[in-house]
Amino acid sequence: MNGFGKRAIWRAGSLRMADRRKPGAGKGVPVRGENRRGAEEARSGRRAALVIAGTALLWVGATFIGASLGLSQRMLALFDLLALGGFLWAFWMIYNIWRTRQNNEGR
């Protein structure tokens, strides 16, 4: 052996040679402690972003389709109120993420 044995570290992906042979090595690593909280915050942030994007797309689509079908102003206002509710829900989600982060930092 030239000093590189089975435990040699590979630069690509920093996996040991023995781990490199395992199918799915380096994937699905369990997250513990601080990383778990960070992963939960990231997941919540992505969910809030999807709510914002989905609400915006549905709102624009509903407005366009409603105008092309000649729906009344009352119906268009209903779509606007539903979109407002979606945006307020996303704002509430973001506020909860911020509050959780503040509690985790000890403030």
Side-chain angles (χ1 to χ4, degrees):
M1 297 224 161
N2 56 7
F4 290 108
K6 286 187 176 180
R7 300 264 183 212
I9 302 291
W10 287 37
R11 291 266 181 209
S14 297
L15 293 176
R16 289 180 294 172
M17 209 182 248
D19 292 339
R20 176 80 61 187
R21 290 187 212 119
K22 296 177 186 172
K27 297 179 185 173
V29 178
V31 184
R32 294 189 180 113
E34 290 292 321
N35 291 336
R36 182 176 293 161
R37 266 187 244 127
E40 288 294 324
E41 288 176 4
R43 189 176 301 119
S44 298
R46 285 190 298 269
R47 191 176 303 127
L50 286 173
V51 168
I52 291 170
T55 300
L57 288 175
L58 289 175
W59 183 33
V60 169
T63 303
F64 178 73
I65 291 171
S68 66
L69 292 177
L71 294 180
S72 68
Q73 292 297 317
R74 230 177 187 184
M75 284 299 289
L76 294 176
L78 177 65
F79 293 140
D80 291 345
L81 288 175
L82 290 173
L84 181 63
F87 287 127
L88 287 174
W89 181 39
F91 178 74
W92 181 254
M93 292 169 72
I94 293 169
Y95 174 73
N96 283 330
I97 294 168
W98 174 78
R99 198 173 63 189
T100 302
R101 194 173 289 163
Q102 295 296 317
N103 288 342
N104 290 340
E105 291 176 3
R107 292 184 183 174

Coordinates of all heavy atoms in Angstrom, one line a residue, residues 9-102:
I9 N -9.3 9.6 1.5 CA -10.4 10.6 1.2 C -10.3 11.0 -0.2 O -9.2 11.4 -0.7 CB -10.3 11.9 2.1 CG1 -10.3 11.5 3.6 CG2 -11.3 12.9 1.8 CD1 -11.6 11.0 4.1
W10 N -11.4 10.9 -0.9 CA -11.5 11.4 -2.3 C -11.9 12.9 -2.3 O -12.8 13.3 -1.6 CB -12.5 10.6 -3.1 CG -12.0 9.2 -3.4 CD1 -11.3 8.3 -2.6 CD2 -12.3 8.5 -4.6 NE1 -11.2 7.2 -3.2 CE2 -11.8 7.2 -4.4 CE3 -13.0 8.8 -5.7 CZ2 -11.9 6.2 -5.4 CZ3 -13.1 7.8 -6.7 CH2 -12.5 6.6 -6.5
R11 N -11.3 13.6 -3.2 CA -11.7 15.1 -3.2 C -13.1 15.2 -3.7 O -13.8 16.1 -3.3 CB -10.7 15.8 -4.2 CG -9.4 15.9 -3.6 CD -9.2 17.2 -2.9 NE -7.8 17.3 -2.5 CZ -7.5 17.9 -1.4 NH1 -8.4 18.6 -0.7 NH2 -6.2 17.9 -1.0
A12 N -13.5 14.5 -4.7 CA -14.9 14.6 -5.3 C -15.9 14.1 -4.3 O -16.1 12.9 -4.1 CB -15.0 13.9 -6.6
G13 N -16.6 14.9 -3.6 CA -17.6 14.5 -2.7 C -17.1 14.2 -1.3 O -17.9 13.9 -0.4
S14 N -15.9 14.2 -1.0 CA -15.3 13.9 0.3 C -15.8 12.6 0.9 O -16.1 12.5 2.0 CB -15.5 15.0 1.2 OG -14.9 16.2 0.8
L15 N -16.0 11.6 0.0 CA -16.4 10.3 0.5 C -15.2 9.3 0.6 O -14.3 9.3 -0.2 CB -17.5 9.7 -0.4 CG -18.8 10.4 -0.5 CD1 -19.7 9.7 -1.6 CD2 -19.5 10.4 0.8
R16 N -15.3 8.5 1.6 CA -14.2 7.5 1.7 C -14.4 6.5 0.6 O -15.5 6.3 0.1 CB -14.3 6.8 3.1 CG -13.9 7.6 4.2 CD -14.0 6.9 5.5 NE -15.4 6.6 5.7 CZ -15.9 5.8 6.6 NH1 -15.2 5.2 7.4 NH2 -17.2 5.6 6.7
M17 N -13.3 5.8 0.3 CA -13.3 4.9 -0.8 C -14.3 3.8 -0.5 O -15.0 3.3 -1.4 CB -11.9 4.3 -1.0 CG -11.6 3.9 -2.4 SD -9.9 3.2 -2.3 CE -9.1 4.4 -3.3
A18 N -14.4 3.3 0.7 CA -15.3 2.3 1.1 C -16.8 2.7 0.9 O -17.6 1.9 0.5 CB -15.1 1.8 2.5
D19 N -17.1 4.0 1.2 CA -18.4 4.5 1.0 C -18.7 4.7 -0.4 O -19.9 4.7 -0.8 CB -18.5 5.9 1.8 CG -18.5 5.7 3.3 OD1 -18.7 4.5 3.7 OD2 -18.2 6.7 4.0
R20 N -17.8 5.0 -1.2 CA -18.0 5.2 -2.6 C -18.6 4.0 -3.3 O -19.4 4.2 -4.3 CB -16.6 5.6 -3.3 CG -16.6 5.8 -4.7 CD -17.1 7.1 -5.2 NE -16.4 8.2 -4.7 CZ -16.7 9.5 -5.0 NH1 -17.8 9.7 -5.6 NH2 -16.1 10.5 -4.5
R21 N -18.3 2.8 -2.8 CA -18.9 1.6 -3.4 C -20.3 1.3 -3.1 O -21.0 0.6 -3.7 CB -18.0 0.4 -3.0 CG -16.7 0.5 -3.6 CD -15.9 -0.8 -3.4 NE -14.5 -0.5 -3.3 CZ -13.8 -0.7 -2.2 NH1 -14.3 -1.2 -1.1 NH2 -12.5 -0.4 -2.2
K22 N -20.8 1.9 -2.0 CA -22.1 1.7 -1.5 C -23.1 2.4 -2.4 O -22.9 3.6 -2.7 CB -22.3 2.1 -0.1 CG -21.5 1.3 0.9 CD -21.6 1.9 2.3 CE -20.7 1.2 3.3 NZ -20.7 1.9 4.5
P23 N -24.2 1.8 -2.8 CA -25.2 2.5 -3.6 C -25.9 3.6 -2.7 O -26.3 3.3 -1.6 CB -26.2 1.4 -4.0 CG -26.0 0.3 -3.1 CD -24.6 0.4 -2.6
G24 N -26.0 4.7 -3.2 CA -26.7 5.8 -2.5 C -25.8 6.4 -1.4 O -26.3 7.1 -0.5
A25 N -24.5 6.2 -1.5 CA -23.6 6.8 -0.5 C -23.6 8.3 -0.5 O -23.6 8.9 -1.6 CB -22.2 6.3 -0.7
G26 N -23.7 8.9 0.6 CA -23.8 10.4 0.7 C -25.2 11.0 0.6 O -25.3 12.2 0.6
K27 N -26.2 10.1 0.4 CA -27.5 10.6 0.2 C -28.3 10.3 1.4 O -28.1 9.2 2.0 CB -28.2 10.0 -1.0 CG -27.5 10.4 -2.3 CD -28.1 9.7 -3.5 CE -27.4 10.0 -4.7 NZ -27.9 9.3 -5.9
G28 N -29.2 11.1 1.8 CA -30.1 10.8 2.9 C -29.4 10.8 4.3 O -29.8 10.0 5.1
V29 N -28.4 11.6 4.4 CA -27.7 11.6 5.7 C -28.6 12.2 6.8 O -29.2 13.2 6.6 CB -26.4 12.4 5.6 CG1 -25.6 12.5 6.9 CG2 -25.5 11.9 4.5
P30 N -28.7 11.5 7.9 CA -29.6 12.0 8.9 C -29.0 13.3 9.5 O -27.8 13.4 9.7 CB -29.6 10.9 10.0 CG -28.5 10.0 9.7 CD -28.1 10.2 8.3
V31 N -29.9 14.2 9.7 CA -29.6 15.5 10.2 C -29.9 15.6 11.7 O -30.9 15.2 12.1 CB -30.3 16.6 9.4 CG1 -29.9 18.0 9.9 CG2 -30.2 16.5 8.0
R32 N -28.9 16.2 12.5 CA -29.1 16.2 13.9 C -28.9 17.6 14.4 O -28.2 18.4 13.9 CB -28.1 15.3 14.6 CG -28.4 13.9 14.3 CD -27.5 13.0 15.1 NE -27.8 11.6 14.8 CZ -27.0 10.8 14.2 NH1 -25.8 11.2 14.0 NH2 -27.3 9.5 13.9
G33 N -29.6 17.9 15.5 CA -29.4 19.2 16.3 C -29.7 20.4 15.5 O -30.8 20.6 15.0
E34 N -28.7 21.3 15.4 CA -28.9 22.6 14.7 C -29.2 22.4 13.2 O -30.0 23.2 12.7 CB -27.6 23.4 14.8 CG -27.3 23.9 16.2 CD -28.3 25.0 16.6 OE1 -28.7 25.8 15.8 OE2 -28.7 25.0 17.8
N35 N -28.6 21.4 12.6 CA -28.9 21.2 11.2 C -30.4 20.8 10.9 O -31.0 21.2 9.9 CB -28.0 20.1 10.6 CG -26.6 20.6 10.5 OD1 -26.3 21.8 10.5 ND2 -25.7 19.6 10.5
R36 N -31.0 20.1 11.9 CA -32.4 19.7 11.7 C -33.3 20.9 11.8 O -34.2 21.1 11.0 CB -32.8 18.7 12.8 CG -34.2 18.3 12.7 CD -34.6 17.3 13.7 NE -33.9 16.0 13.5 CZ -33.7 15.1 14.3 NH1 -34.2 15.2 15.5 NH2 -33.0 14.0 14.0
R37 N -33.0 21.9 12.7 CA -33.7 23.1 12.8 C -33.6 23.9 11.5 O -34.6 24.5 11.0 CB -33.3 23.9 14.0 CG -34.2 23.7 15.2 CD -33.8 24.6 16.3 NE -33.3 23.8 17.4 CZ -32.2 24.0 18.0 NH1 -31.4 25.0 17.7 NH2 -31.8 23.2 19.0
G38 N -32.4 24.0 11.0 CA -32.1 24.7 9.8 C -32.9 24.1 8.6 O -33.4 24.8 7.8
A39 N -32.9 22.8 8.6 CA -33.6 22.1 7.5 C -35.1 22.3 7.6 O -35.8 22.5 6.6 CB -33.3 20.6 7.6
E40 N -35.7 22.4 8.9 CA -37.1 22.6 9.1 C -37.4 24.1 8.6 O -38.4 24.3 8.0 CB -37.5 22.4 10.5 CG -37.5 21.0 10.9 CD -38.6 20.2 10.2 OE1 -39.7 20.8 10.0 OE2 -38.4 19.0 9.9
E41 N -36.5 25.0 9.0 CA -36.8 26.4 8.6 C -36.7 26.5 7.1 O -37.5 27.3 6.5 CB -35.7 27.3 9.2 CG -35.9 27.5 10.7 CD -34.9 28.4 11.3 OE1 -34.0 28.9 10.6 OE2 -34.9 28.5 12.5
A42 N -35.8 25.9 6.4 CA -35.6 25.9 5.0 C -36.9 25.3 4.3 O -37.4 25.9 3.3 CB -34.4 25.2 4.5
R43 N -37.4 24.2 4.9 CA -38.6 23.6 4.3 C -39.8 24.5 4.5 O -40.6 24.6 3.5 CB -38.8 22.2 5.0 CG -39.9 21.4 4.4 CD -40.1 20.1 5.1 NE -38.9 19.3 5.0 CZ -38.2 18.9 6.1 NH1 -38.6 19.1 7.3 NH2 -37.1 18.2 5.9
S44 N -39.9 25.2 5.6 CA -41.0 26.1 5.8 C -40.9 27.3 4.9 O -41.9 27.8 4.4 CB -41.0 26.6 7.3 OG -41.2 25.5 8.1
G45 N -39.7 27.7 4.7 CA -39.5 28.9 3.7 C -39.8 28.5 2.3 O -40.4 29.3 1.6
R46 N -39.5 27.3 1.9 CA -39.8 26.8 0.6 C -41.3 26.7 0.4 O -41.9 27.1 -0.6 CB -39.2 25.5 0.2 CG -37.7 25.6 -0.1 CD -37.1 24.4 -0.7 NE -37.2 23.2 0.3 CZ -36.3 22.9 1.1 NH1 -35.2 23.6 1.2 NH2 -36.4 21.9 1.9
R47 N -42.0 26.2 1.5 CA -43.5 26.1 1.5 C -44.1 27.5 1.3 O -45.1 27.7 0.6 CB -43.9 25.4 2.7 CG -45.4 25.0 2.7 CD -45.8 24.2 3.9 NE -45.0 23.0 4.1 CZ -44.3 22.7 5.2 NH1 -44.4 23.6 6.3 NH2 -43.6 21.7 5.4
A48 N -43.6 28.5 2.1 CA -44.1 29.8 2.0 C -43.9 30.4 0.6 O -44.8 31.1 0.0 CB -43.5 30.7 3.0
A49 N -42.8 30.1 0.0 CA -42.5 30.6 -1.4 C -43.4 30.0 -2.4 O -43.9 30.7 -3.3 CB -41.0 30.3 -1.7
L50 N -43.7 28.7 -2.2 CA -44.7 28.0 -3.1 C -46.1 28.6 -2.9 O -46.8 28.7 -3.9 CB -44.7 26.5 -2.8 CG -43.4 25.8 -3.4 CD1 -43.5 24.3 -2.9 CD2 -43.3 25.9 -4.9
V51 N -46.5 28.9 -1.7 CA -47.8 29.5 -1.5 C -47.9 30.9 -2.2 O -48.9 31.2 -2.9 CB -48.1 29.7 0.0 CG1 -49.3 30.6 0.3 CG2 -48.3 28.3 0.6
I52 N -46.8 31.7 -2.1 CA -46.8 33.0 -2.7 C -46.9 32.9 -4.3 O -47.7 33.5 -4.9 CB -45.6 33.8 -2.3 CG1 -45.7 34.2 -0.8 CG2 -45.4 35.1 -3.2 CD1 -44.4 34.8 -0.3
A53 N -46.0 32.0 -4.8 CA -46.0 31.8 -6.3 C -47.3 31.2 -6.8 O -47.8 31.7 -7.8 CB -44.8 30.9 -6.6
G54 N -47.8 30.2 -6.1 CA -49.1 29.6 -6.5 C -50.2 30.6 -6.4 O -51.1 30.7 -7.3
T55 N -50.3 31.4 -5.4 CA -51.4 32.4 -5.2 C -51.3 33.4 -6.3 O -52.3 33.8 -6.9 CB -51.3 33.1 -3.8 OG1 -51.4 32.1 -2.8 CG2 -52.3 34.1 -3.7
A56 N -50.1 33.9 -6.6 CA -49.9 34.9 -7.7 C -50.3 34.3 -9.1 O -51.0 35.0 -9.8 CB -48.5 35.4 -7.7
L57 N -49.9 33.1 -9.3 CA -50.3 32.5 -10.6 C -51.8 32.3 -10.7 O -52.4 32.6 -11.8 CB -49.5 31.2 -10.8 CG -48.0 31.3 -11.1 CD1 -47.4 29.9 -11.2 CD2 -47.8 32.0 -12.4
L58 N -52.4 31.7 -9.7 CA -53.8 31.5 -9.7 C -54.6 32.8 -9.8 O -55.6 32.9 -10.5 CB -54.3 30.8 -8.5 CG -53.9 29.3 -8.5 CD1 -54.2 28.6 -7.1 CD2 -54.5 28.5 -9.6
W59 N -54.1 33.9 -9.2 CA -54.8 35.2 -9.2 C -54.7 35.8 -10.6 O -55.7 36.2 -11.1 CB -54.1 36.1 -8.2 CG -54.7 37.5 -8.0 CD1 -56.0 37.8 -8.2 CD2 -54.0 38.7 -7.7 NE1 -56.2 39.1 -7.9 CE2 -55.0 39.7 -7.7 CE3 -52.7 39.0 -7.4 CZ2 -54.6 41.0 -7.4 CZ3 -52.4 40.3 -7.1 CH2 -53.3 41.3 -7.1
V60 N -53.5 35.7 -11.2 CA -53.4 36.3 -12.6 C -54.3 35.5 -13.5 O -54.9 36.0 -14.4 CB -51.9 36.3 -13.0 CG1 -51.8 36.6 -14.5 CG2 -51.1 37.3 -12.2
G61 N -54.2 34.1 -13.4 CA -55.0 33.3 -14.3 C -56.5 33.5 -14.1 O -57.3 33.6 -15.1
A62 N -57.0 33.6 -12.8 CA -58.4 33.9 -12.6 C -58.8 35.2 -13.1 O -59.9 35.4 -13.7 CB -58.7 33.8 -11.1
T63 N -58.0 36.2 -13.0 CA -58.3 37.6 -13.5 C -58.4 37.6 -15.0 O -59.3 38.1 -15.6 CB -57.2 38.6 -13.0 OG1 -57.2 38.6 -11.6 CG2 -57.6 40.0 -13.5
F64 N -57.4 36.9 -15.7 CA -57.4 36.8 -17.1 C -58.6 36.1 -17.6 O -59.3 36.5 -18.6 CB -56.1 36.2 -17.6 CG -56.0 36.0 -19.1 CD1 -55.8 37.1 -19.9 CD2 -56.2 34.8 -19.7 CE1 -55.7 37.0 -21.3 CE2 -56.1 34.6 -21.0 CZ -55.9 35.7 -21.8
I65 N -58.9 34.9 -17.1 CA -60.0 34.1 -17.5 C -61.3 34.8 -17.2 O -62.2 34.8 -18.0 CB -59.9 32.7 -16.9 CG1 -58.7 31.9 -17.5 CG2 -61.2 31.9 -17.1 CD1 -58.4 30.6 -16.7
G66 N -61.4 35.4 -16.0 CA -62.6 36.1 -15.7 C -62.9 37.3 -16.6 O -64.1 37.5 -17.0
A67 N -61.9 38.0 -17.0 CA -62.1 39.1 -17.9 C -62.5 38.6 -19.3 O -63.3 39.2 -20.0 CB -60.8 40.0 -18.0
S68 N -61.8 37.5 -19.8 CA -62.1 37.0 -21.1 C -63.5 36.4 -21.2 O -64.2 36.4 -22.2 CB -61.1 36.0 -21.5 OG -61.1 34.9 -20.7
L69 N -64.0 35.8 -20.1 CA -65.4 35.3 -20.0 C -66.4 36.3 -19.7 O -67.6 36.0 -19.8 CB -65.5 34.1 -19.0 CG -64.7 32.9 -19.3 CD1 -64.8 31.9 -18.1 CD2 -65.1 32.2 -20.6
G70 N -66.0 37.5 -19.4 CA -67.0 38.6 -19.1 C -67.7 38.4 -17.7 O -68.8 38.7 -17.6
L71 N -66.9 37.9 -16.8 CA -67.5 37.7 -15.4 C -67.8 39.1 -14.8 O -67.1 40.1 -15.1 CB -66.6 36.9 -14.5 CG -66.4 35.4 -14.9 CD1 -65.5 34.8 -13.9 CD2 -67.7 34.7 -15.0
S72 N -68.7 39.2 -13.9 CA -69.0 40.4 -13.2 C -67.9 40.9 -12.3 O -67.0 40.1 -12.0 CB -70.3 40.3 -12.4 OG -70.0 39.4 -11.3
Q73 N -67.9 42.2 -12.0 CA -66.9 42.8 -11.1 C -67.0 42.1 -9.7 O -65.9 42.1 -9.0 CB -67.1 44.3 -11.0 CG -66.8 45.0 -12.3 CD -65.4 44.9 -12.7 OE1 -64.5 45.0 -11.8 NE2 -65.1 44.6 -13.9
R74 N -68.1 41.7 -9.4 CA -68.3 41.0 -8.1 C -67.4 39.7 -8.0 O -66.8 39.4 -7.0 CB -69.7 40.7 -7.9 CG -70.2 41.1 -6.6 CD -71.7 40.8 -6.5 NE -72.2 41.3 -5.3 CZ -73.4 41.2 -4.8 NH1 -74.3 40.6 -5.5 NH2 -73.7 41.8 -3.7
M75 N -67.5 38.9 -9.1 CA -66.7 37.7 -9.2 C -65.2 38.0 -9.2 O -64.4 37.3 -8.5 CB -67.1 36.9 -10.4 CG -68.4 36.2 -10.2 SD -68.4 35.0 -8.9 CE -67.4 33.7 -9.5
L76 N -64.8 39.0 -9.9 CA -63.4 39.4 -10.0 C -62.9 39.9 -8.6 O -61.8 39.6 -8.2 CB -63.2 40.5 -11.1 CG -63.4 40.0 -12.5 CD1 -63.2 41.2 -13.5 CD2 -62.5 38.9 -12.9
A77 N -63.8 40.6 -7.9 CA -63.5 41.0 -6.5 C -63.3 39.8 -5.6 O -62.5 39.8 -4.7 CB -64.5 42.0 -6.0
L78 N -64.1 38.8 -5.8 CA -64.0 37.6 -5.0 C -62.6 36.9 -5.2 O -62.0 36.5 -4.3 CB -65.1 36.6 -5.4 CG -65.1 35.2 -4.7 CD1 -65.3 35.4 -3.2 CD2 -66.1 34.3 -5.2
F79 N -62.2 36.9 -6.5 CA -60.9 36.3 -6.8 C -59.8 37.2 -6.1 O -58.8 36.6 -5.6 CB -60.6 36.3 -8.3 CG -61.5 35.3 -9.0 CD1 -62.0 35.6 -10.3 CD2 -61.8 34.0 -8.5 CE1 -62.8 34.7 -11.0 CE2 -62.5 33.1 -9.1 CZ -63.1 33.4 -10.4
D80 N -60.0 38.5 -6.1 CA -59.0 39.4 -5.5 C -58.9 39.1 -4.0 O -57.9 39.1 -3.4 CB -59.3 40.8 -5.7 CG -59.1 41.2 -7.2 OD1 -58.4 40.5 -7.9 OD2 -59.6 42.3 -7.6
L81 N -60.1 38.9 -3.4 CA -60.1 38.6 -1.9 C -59.5 37.2 -1.6 O -58.8 37.1 -0.6 CB -61.6 38.7 -1.4 CG -62.2 40.1 -1.3 CD1 -63.6 40.0 -0.9 CD2 -61.4 40.9 -0.3
L82 N -59.8 36.3 -2.4 CA -59.1 35.0 -2.2 C -57.6 35.1 -2.4 O -56.9 34.4 -1.6 CB -59.7 33.9 -3.2 CG -61.1 33.5 -3.0 CD1 -61.6 32.6 -4.2 CD2 -61.3 32.8 -1.7
A83 N -57.1 35.8 -3.3 CA -55.7 36.0 -3.5 C -55.1 36.8 -2.3 O -54.0 36.4 -1.8 CB -55.4 36.8 -4.8
L84 N -55.8 37.8 -1.8 CA -55.4 38.5 -0.6 C -55.3 37.5 0.6 O -54.3 37.6 1.4 CB -56.4 39.6 -0.3 CG -56.1 40.5 1.0 CD1 -54.7 41.2 0.7 CD2 -57.2 41.4 1.2
G85 N -56.3 36.6 0.7 CA -56.2 35.6 1.8 C -55.0 34.7 1.6 O -54.3 34.4 2.6
G86 N -54.6 34.3 0.4 CA -53.4 33.5 0.2 C -52.2 34.2 0.5 O -51.3 33.7 1.2
F87 N -52.1 35.5 0.2 CA -50.9 36.3 0.5 C -50.8 36.5 2.0 O -49.7 36.5 2.6 CB -50.9 37.6 -0.2 CG -50.6 37.5 -1.7 CD1 -51.4 38.0 -2.7 CD2 -49.5 36.8 -2.1 CE1 -51.2 37.9 -4.0 CE2 -49.2 36.7 -3.5 CZ -50.0 37.2 -4.4
L88 N -51.9 36.7 2.7 CA -51.9 36.9 4.1 C -51.5 35.6 4.8 O -50.7 35.6 5.8 CB -53.2 37.4 4.7 CG -53.6 38.8 4.4 CD1 -55.0 39.1 4.8 CD2 -52.6 39.8 5.0
W89 N -51.9 34.5 4.3 CA -51.5 33.2 4.9 C -50.0 33.0 4.7 O -49.3 32.6 5.6 CB -52.3 32.1 4.2 CG -51.9 30.7 4.7 CD1 -51.7 30.3 6.0 CD2 -51.8 29.5 3.9 NE1 -51.4 29.0 6.1 CE2 -51.5 28.5 4.8 CE3 -52.0 29.2 2.6 CZ2 -51.3 27.2 4.4 CZ3 -51.8 27.9 2.1 CH2 -51.5 26.9 3.0
A90 N -49.4 33.4 3.5 CA -48.0 33.3 3.3 C -47.2 34.2 4.3 O -46.2 33.9 4.8 CB -47.7 33.6 1.9
F91 N -47.8 35.4 4.5 CA -47.2 36.4 5.4 C -47.1 35.8 6.8 O -46.1 35.9 7.5 CB -47.9 37.7 5.4 CG -47.3 38.7 6.3 CD1 -46.2 39.4 6.0 CD2 -48.0 39.0 7.5 CE1 -45.6 40.3 6.9 CE2 -47.5 39.9 8.4 CZ -46.3 40.6 8.1
W92 N -48.2 35.1 7.2 CA -48.3 34.5 8.5 C -47.3 33.4 8.6 O -46.6 33.2 9.7 CB -49.7 34.0 8.8 CG -49.9 33.4 10.1 CD1 -50.0 32.0 10.4 CD2 -49.9 34.0 11.4 NE1 -50.1 31.8 11.8 CE2 -50.0 33.1 12.4 CE3 -49.8 35.4 11.7 CZ2 -50.1 33.4 13.7 CZ3 -49.9 35.7 13.1 CH2 -50.0 34.7 14.0
M93 N -47.1 32.6 7.6 CA -46.1 31.6 7.6 C -44.7 32.1 7.7 O -43.9 31.6 8.5 CB -46.1 30.7 6.3 CG -47.4 29.9 6.1 SD -47.6 29.2 4.5 CE -46.4 28.0 4.5
I94 N -44.4 33.2 7.0 CA -43.1 33.9 7.1 C -42.9 34.4 8.5 O -41.8 34.4 9.1 CB -42.9 34.9 6.0 CG1 -42.9 34.3 4.7 CG2 -41.7 35.8 6.3 CD1 -43.0 35.2 3.5
Y95 N -43.9 35.0 9.1 CA -43.8 35.6 10.4 C -43.5 34.4 11.4 O -42.7 34.6 12.3 CB -45.1 36.3 10.8 CG -45.1 36.7 12.3 CD1 -44.4 37.8 12.7 CD2 -45.9 36.0 13.2 CE1 -44.4 38.2 14.0 CE2 -45.9 36.4 14.5 CZ -45.2 37.5 14.9 OH -45.2 37.9 16.3
N96 N -44.1 33.3 11.3 CA -43.8 32.2 12.2 C -42.4 31.7 12.0 O -41.8 31.3 13.0 CB -44.8 31.0 11.9 CG -46.2 31.3 12.6 OD1 -46.2 32.0 13.6 ND2 -47.2 30.8 12.0
I97 N -41.9 31.7 10.8 CA -40.5 31.3 10.6 C -39.6 32.2 11.3 O -38.6 31.8 12.0 CB -40.2 31.2 9.1 CG1 -40.9 30.1 8.4 CG2 -38.7 31.0 8.9 CD1 -40.9 30.2 6.9
W98 N -39.9 33.5 11.2 CA -39.0 34.5 11.9 C -39.1 34.4 13.4 O -38.1 34.4 14.1 CB -39.5 35.9 11.4 CG -38.8 37.0 12.2 CD1 -37.6 37.5 11.9 CD2 -39.3 37.8 13.3 NE1 -37.3 38.5 12.8 CE2 -38.3 38.7 13.7 CE3 -40.5 37.8 14.0 CZ2 -38.5 39.6 14.7 CZ3 -40.7 38.6 15.0 CH2 -39.7 39.5 15.4
R99 N -40.3 34.2 13.9 CA -40.5 34.0 15.3 C -39.7 32.8 15.9 O -39.1 32.8 16.9 CB -42.0 33.9 15.7 CG -42.3 34.2 17.1 CD -43.7 34.3 17.4 NE -44.3 33.0 17.0 CZ -45.6 32.7 17.0 NH1 -46.5 33.7 17.2 NH2 -46.1 31.6 16.7
T100 N -39.8 31.7 15.1 CA -39.1 30.5 15.5 C -37.6 30.7 15.5 O -36.9 30.3 16.4 CB -39.5 29.3 14.5 OG1 -40.9 29.1 14.6 CG2 -38.8 28.0 14.9
R101 N -37.1 31.4 14.5 CA -35.7 31.7 14.5 C -35.3 32.6 15.6 O -34.2 32.4 16.2 CB -35.4 32.4 13.1 CG -33.9 32.4 12.8 CD -33.7 32.9 11.4 NE -34.1 31.9 10.4 CZ -34.3 32.2 9.2 NH1 -34.2 33.4 8.7 NH2 -34.6 31.2 8.4
Q102 N -36.1 33.5 16.0 CA -35.8 34.4 17.1 C -35.7 33.6 18.4 O -34.9 33.8 19.3 CB -36.8 35.5 17.2 CG -36.8 36.5 16.1 CD -35.5 37.2 16.0 OE1 -34.9 37.7 17.0 NE2 -35.0 37.3 14.8

